[in-house]
């Protein structure tokens, strides 16, 4: 039975999607490691999420819906949130703003 053709089996659907995201996170973590997220902390996560939301917004308003691209983008958004939670709970995710030198435009 195809669970996606019904509105039932919600827990099974959540688990199936979560398993896809876990596989994506494992693969990306092997490729990138944690340093790219740790360098800019929560601020960096916000920037990456902003980029993904901009992509999702752009895909939403295209005349031809690209379901695969939309799914990939939504998985990336969920993945960044899950990764941020992991690093936060490990006590390794800072705010990130301390890595920037702020320049006052009035100077």
């Amino acid at each position: 039975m195809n669970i996606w053709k019904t509105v039932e089996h919600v827990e099974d659907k959540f688990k199936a999607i979560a398993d896809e995201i876990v596989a994506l996170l494992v693969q990306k973590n092997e490729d990138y490691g944690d340093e790219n997220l740790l360098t800019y902390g929560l601020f960096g996560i916000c920037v990456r999420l902003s980029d993904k939301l901009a992509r999702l917004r752009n895909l939403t308003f295209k005349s031809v819906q690209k379901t695969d691209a939309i799914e990939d983008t939504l998985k990336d958004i969920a993945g960044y949130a899950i990764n941020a939670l992991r690093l936060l709970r490990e006590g390794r995710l800072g705010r990130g703003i301390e890595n920037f030198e702020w320049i006052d435009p009035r100077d």
Side-chain angles (χ1 to χ4, degrees), residues 26-59:
V26 168
Q27 179 251 317
K28 287 194 175 194
N29 195 258
E30 288 174 3
D31 293 343
Y32 296 104
D34 290 336
E35 199 58 37
N36 65 324
L37 298 177
L38 295 175
T39 300
Y40 300 108
L42 282 172
F43 181 76
I45 297 286
C46 289
V47 170
R48 287 179 171 88
L49 286 171
S50 176
D51 291 342
K52 295 299 176 181
L53 289 170
R55 181 174 190 233
L56 182 61
R57 183 177 54 247
N58 185 44
L59 290 168

Side-chain angles (χ1 to χ4, degrees), residues 4-5 7 9 18 27 32 35 41 43-44 53-54 62 73-74 77 99-100:
W4 303 108
K5 299 290 183 189
V7 295
H9 308 286
Q27 179 251 317
Y32 296 104
E35 199 58 37
F43 181 76
L53 289 170
K62 288 197 175 284
T73 303
L74 290 170
I77 291 168
N99 292 321
F100 292 95

Side-chain angles (χ1 to χ4, degrees), residues 38 83-95 98:
L38 295 175
N83 231 338
L85 281 169
R86 175 184 64 90
L87 295 169
L88 192 65
R89 289 179 182 181
E90 291 173 354
R92 300 193 299 143
L93 188 65
R95 293 184 330 164
E98 55 276 353

Side-chain angles (χ1 to χ4, degrees), residues 3-4 9-23 75:
I3 64 171
W4 303 108
H9 308 286
V10 174
E11 185 176 343
D12 292 337
K13 292 175 183 178
F14 287 152
K15 288 179 181 178
I17 293 168
D19 288 346
E20 291 175 25
I21 294 168
V22 168
K75 285 190 237 180

